[in-house]
Amino acid sequence: NAGVTQTPKFRILKIGQSMTLQCTQDMNHNYMYWYRQDPGMGLKLIYYSVGAGITDKGEVPNGYNVSRSTTEDFPLRLELAAPSQTSVYFCASISGTGNTGELFFGEGSRLTVL
Amino acid sequence: SQKIEQNSEALNIQEGKTATLTCNYTNYSPAYLQWYRQDPGRGPVFLLLIRENEKEKRKERLKVTFDTTLKQSLFHITASQPADSATYLCALDEVDSSYKLIFGSGTRLLVRP
């Protein structure tokens, strides 16, 4: 039972490079989210999706893009990486049917932009 | 704007004692509140959920209270153990249909043997 799987776990980027953080869940959840967590700070919502083909911005979307072509996958794209994007990124999901919002998180992707 | 506050200072207690963590919020009327545990280098893990019409919820050694008048939740761990050492995050829903959660910055708990 894999749950929410994120790759890569660690990555170092140079300023201006681009990359995609992968997230997949095998629980058939409708709702998926990307958060970032900076040291000593709470989780900030970047983007979210309420189902395949539907995405929306969260609190801190600038510099990121997402897509949701399938129920399982919700990749996060970083274009023109900046040092301010150095953070730990968490993907999460919930089913959205008959529950009240318990999030299942991945183990995180630690990104450093130099 | 909506704001959630948790004590940023670590809570350091002796094994066997009760740990009490606080979550305060402003400009907000959540339908429910959740607590998560986060270990270093790991993703948060759900612990408990309490609804706005519930005063208290228990699960094994954990107890959560929710006072919508004070806009505060208290999270208690009784008979604390060193294995309870972690960061505990409070989260509230955004009261829309997307199940989005707003998180506090968390309080680190250290339980000394």
Side-chain angles (χ1 to χ4, degrees):
Chain A
N1 191 5
V4 178
T5 302
Q6 293 183 232
T7 57
K9 292 190 186 313
F10 303 93
R11 182 72 186 269
I12 297 175
L13 282 181
K14 293 182 179 179
I15 295 172
Q17 287 185 320
S18 299
M19 76 161 297
T20 299
L21 300 178
Q22 302 291 344
C23 175
T24 187
Q25 50 92 9
D26 62 359
M27 298 172 283
N28 201 33
H29 284 175
N30 293 320
Y31 294 74
M32 296 187 75
Y33 310 83
W34 274 106
Y35 286 91
R36 61 175 286 173
Q37 186 177 37
D38 299 319
M41 305 292 287
L43 295 154
K44 301 292 185 185
L45 183 64
I46 306 171
Y47 270 96
Y48 68 101
S49 169
V50 302
I54 305 170
T55 63
D56 208 345
K57 296 178 180 179
E59 183 182 0
V60 290
N62 292 342
Y64 307 94
N65 273 302
V66 294
S67 60
R68 184 93 182 273
S69 57
T70 67
T71 298
E72 295 78 19
D73 300 307
F74 190 40
L76 177 71
R77 178 80 176 165
L78 281 73
E79 304 282 2
L80 298 175
S84 61
Q85 293 178 304
T86 294
S87 189
V88 181
Y89 292 84
F90 289 100
C91 180
S93 72
I94 63 170
S95 70
T97 56
N99 70 43
T100 49
E102 170 193 341
L103 283 179
F104 292 84
F105 282 88
E107 291 295 343
S109 297
R110 183 178 296 274
L111 176 67
T112 301
V113 182
L114 300 174
Chain B
S1 61
Q2 300 161 342
K3 191 174 182 181
I4 302 172
E5 291 184 338
Q6 294 185 256
N7 194 342
S8 59
E9 291 186 15
L11 179 62
N12 196 325
I13 65 169
Q14 186 71 40
E15 180 176 9
K17 301 293 186 183
T18 296
T20 299
L21 307 178
T22 304
C23 175
N24 295 298
Y25 60 94
T26 57
N27 299 325
Y28 208 21
S29 296
Y32 55 85
L33 183 149
Q34 301 183 27
W35 284 88
Y36 287 78
R37 169 181 173 144
Q38 186 174 25
D39 292 290
R42 308 294 298 273
V45 175
F46 172 80
L47 295 174
L48 279 170
L49 179 151
I50 186 166
R51 301 174 191 270
E52 61 177 338
N53 60 351
E54 297 175 317
K55 296 291 187 185
E56 181 179 299
K57 183 75 73 74
R58 292 176 184 261
K59 179 183 176 182
E60 297 174 352
R61 294 185 297 111
L62 308 181
K63 184 179 83 171
V64 173
T65 63
F66 193 10
D67 189 325
T68 55
T69 300
L70 292 178
K71 295 187 180 297
Q72 179 181 80
S73 174
L74 298 179
F75 176 79
H76 306 273
I77 305 176
T78 59
S80 60
Q81 304 166 0
D84 295 326
S85 298
T87 296
Y88 292 86
L89 304 171
C90 164
L92 299 106
D93 72 292
E94 285 204 22
V95 198
D96 64 7
S97 60
S98 64
Y99 299 99
K100 291 182 290 183
L101 293 181
I102 299 175
F103 283 85
S105 56
T107 298
R108 188 177 175 202
L109 173 65
L110 301 172
V111 181
R112 304 187 310 273

